[in-house]
Amino acid sequence: MLRTVCLAGIGWYAKSVTNDSGKEADPMIKAGKYTAALVLIVVGGLLLIDLTAGTAYSAELVRWWPALIIALGIEFLILSALHRGGERKVGIAAGSIAAAVVVSLAAIGFQYSDRINVFHFAFDGIAGDSAYSYDIGTTSIPLTGGERRVVLRNPNGNVEMKAGDVDDIRIQATVLISKLTGAEAEAIAAKSGIAYRLNGSELEIETAGEEYRVLGVRHRPRMNLVVTVPSGRKVDFELRMKNGRIDAEGISVLRDFTAETTNGHVSISRIDGNVKVETTNGIIAVEETQGDAVLETTNGKITATRIAGDVRAVTTNGTLLIEQVGGDVEAETTNGRITLTGIAGKITAETTNGPVVAESETIGGKWRLKTTNGSVTVRLPEDASFKVQGRTSGNQTTRSDFPLNARKGEISGEVNGGGAEIQISTRGKIEILHLR
């Protein structure tokens, strides 16, 4: 089989060039072969990343299909310019493009067919408002009193969680089905539901969407959930998702509240314990929690406000805004601004492309502020006690409202007898100013 595929590929390529025997190639130059090869390389690379890292970049890639047209146009323009005035005309290698698209879609569909509807995810926004919607009612899940952890798995759909005046867990579910209508969609929705089981002290809840096929492609419905939990019961919660938004407010926990998704925003507020949030493509917003907060995304902004404990916030492409934290802060991004306000403990903040701004009424520990391409600004009260050592590139200026040794490329000194240490590293401007 592999030998057959390889021979077919060699034969296809041989038709597009002049062979060694001197036979003439196609008199027309075909634009699109390089674009087709690029498509296969990109899709294959993203599929490898998805397999090893558990991400869904290749599914998201389908949404950006217009880039294929742009790449084809660029290739056509380049070949036309290179062969202007020549005898051979430039045409489109439609077969190569079609083959690359078919192979790529088949590979992506195979990768995700058992988990999400890739084609629907790409073109309809994961079964958005245009899909058939069916309310399957409310499922009541009794609590025995021995539960210490509740794990909710919903691979495809949104989850809204709130506390209420109930004795059990109540889940109102809406099923959204694409590509089907009428009786067919109703039948699929009727077979979808909520499954649960008690495993020791852990209650496991999972959506059970009925699988269906359209033109031979497997689909699963999207299930949006509104979960109401008893306001007087303390258990830990874990929300495990793939494609969907998470909103949680006013939840009491024994210790931890965990929320994980791949493609979706996460918004959490008023949790009386530790919070851990992880997404790949989405914004994270956490407000008013009584424990520590660990917040990680790849493509999205992170906001954390009024956190009683420590905060660790990490993203790759996005800004970080962290305010009113009772403990230490670790903030890291690659492409984005970092703004820290009212931090009671130590600070470690690092970005590559973007400014860093840190201001507080007090300094509760060492501050390490670093950026490669951006300025660093520190704002402190006039009576603050600290010592600073800051370095920038030789031609960049430094400025201070405090009696510090500020000159091009460096700023240093002690204020009000010294105290907590501030270390600054950047290639941009450094300012240490009075907090007003």
Side-chain angles (χ1 to χ4, degrees):
M1 178 66 179
L2 180 60
R3 182 174 179 272
T4 303
V5 173
C6 291
L7 288 174
I10 293 172
W12 170 81
Y13 177 76
K15 291 179 181 179
S16 65
V17 298
T18 302
N19 58 29
D20 292 338
S21 64
K23 292 181 180 180
E24 288 188 1
D26 188 338
M28 180 175 288
I29 299 171
K30 297 294 183 69
K33 294 179 180 180
Y34 293 107
T35 299
L38 180 62
V39 168
L40 293 175
I41 292 170
V42 171
V43 171
L46 291 178
L47 282 170
L48 284 175
I49 294 173
D50 292 347
L51 285 170
T52 56
T55 56
Y57 292 132
S58 53
E60 179 69 18
L61 182 67
V62 182
R63 192 191 301 272
W64 296 91
W65 64 266
L68 173 63
I69 299 175
I70 296 173
L72 178 60
I74 292 173
E75 183 180 347
F76 187 91
L77 288 175
I78 292 174
L79 290 177
S80 297
L82 290 175
H83 297 276
R84 182 179 300 170
E87 296 181 358
R88 301 174 67 188
K89 296 182 179 181
V90 179
I92 300 295
S96 300
I97 294 294
V101 170
V102 169
V103 170
S104 298
L105 290 178
I108 296 173
F110 178 81
Q111 168 70 10
Y112 293 101
S113 61
D114 61 337
R115 288 188 289 169
I116 64 171
N117 175 0
V118 165
F119 302 102
H120 194 204
F121 169 72
F123 296 110
D124 293 327
I126 321 178
D129 294 338
S130 62
Y132 176 85
S133 178
Y134 187 81
D135 185 352
I136 62 173
T138 300
T139 300
S140 295
I141 302 176
L143 296 174
T144 64
E147 299 87 356
R148 296 183 60 84
R149 182 183 300 275
V150 174
V151 180
L152 173 60
R153 296 182 177 88
N154 184 28
N156 194 23
N158 300 330
V159 171
E160 177 187 347
M161 180 174 284
K162 57 186 178 180
D165 186 17
V166 295
D167 297 324
D168 49 13
I169 295 177
R170 298 184 183 180
I171 302 178
Q172 188 273 322
T174 301
V175 180
L176 296 109
I177 301 171
S178 66
K179 313 303 181 187
L180 296 178
T181 58
E184 288 181 313
E186 265 191 59
I188 296 299
K191 294 179 182 179
S192 302
I194 309 293
Y196 63 91
R197 68 171 183 168
L198 183 62
N199 185 10
S201 62
E202 182 173 285
L203 176 61
E204 299 179 1
I205 306 172
E206 187 168 3
T207 55
E210 179 71 9
E211 183 182 285
Y212 61 99
R213 289 177 179 269
V214 176
L215 299 177
V217 179
R218 288 187 293 177
H219 297 252
R220 286 191 183 274
R222 177 179 176 85
M223 296 184 67
N224 292 340
L225 310 179
V226 177
V227 182
T228 305
V229 301
S231 57
R233 282 291 307 274
K234 284 183 174 285
V235 295
D236 290 338
F237 287 95
E238 292 185 16
L239 307 185
R240 307 289 185 184
M241 301 167 62
K242 288 292 184 182
N243 299 290
R245 187 182 69 250
I246 298 174
D247 294 281
E249 181 179 5
I251 308 299
S252 296
V253 297
L254 288 171
R255 180 179 173 84
D256 301 313
F257 186 96
T258 302
E260 294 184 5
T261 185
T262 301
N263 300 298
H265 302 325
V266 180
S267 177
I268 295 176
S269 62
R270 296 195 296 114
I271 306 293
D272 62 354
N274 300 322
V275 171
K276 180 180 179 181
V277 177
E278 183 175 345
T279 183
T280 301
N281 301 302
I283 297 170
I284 297 176
V286 176
E287 181 179 6
E288 199 173 337
T289 66
Q290 299 303 312
D292 299 335
V294 178
L295 316 173
E296 298 182 8
T297 184
T298 301
N299 301 302
K301 173 183 178 180
I302 297 178
T303 302
T305 306
R306 296 195 297 277
I307 311 298
D310 299 336
V311 172
R312 170 178 163 79
V314 180
T315 185
T316 301
N317 301 303
T319 61
L320 302 178
L321 174 61
I322 303 174
E323 301 176 302
Q324 307 304 317
V325 175
D328 301 337
V329 168
E330 181 180 350
E332 180 181 340
T333 183
T334 301
N335 301 302
R337 175 190 183 96
I338 299 177
T339 303
L340 310 172
T341 304
I343 311 302
K346 297 183 294 183
I347 293 177
T348 301
E350 182 174 351
T351 182
T352 301
N353 301 303
V356 176
V357 177
E359 60 180 50
S360 182
E361 294 283 352
T362 60
I363 306 178
K366 184 176 181 178
W367 287 13
R368 294 180 63 251
L369 311 176
K370 181 179 180 180
T371 180
T372 302
N373 302 304
S375 62
V376 175
T377 303
V378 174
R379 296 187 180 93
L380 295 167
E382 294 184 40
D383 59 354
S385 300
F386 61 95
K387 55 184 177 181
V388 63
Q389 181 64 53
R391 294 186 182 278
T392 182
S393 59
N395 62 343
Q396 291 292 335
T397 60
T398 63
R399 185 167 75 91
S400 176
D401 291 341
F402 296 92
L404 295 170
N405 182 15
R407 57 188 183 276
K408 281 190 174 181
E410 185 177 4
I411 186 169
S412 60
E414 295 185 357
V415 175
N416 295 323
E421 182 179 1
I422 301 176
Q423 292 184 350
I424 301 173
S425 176
T426 180
R427 293 178 184 173
K429 181 174 61 176
I430 298 176
E431 294 182 315
I432 303 179
L433 310 174
H434 291 158
L435 179 64
R436 295 181 174 87

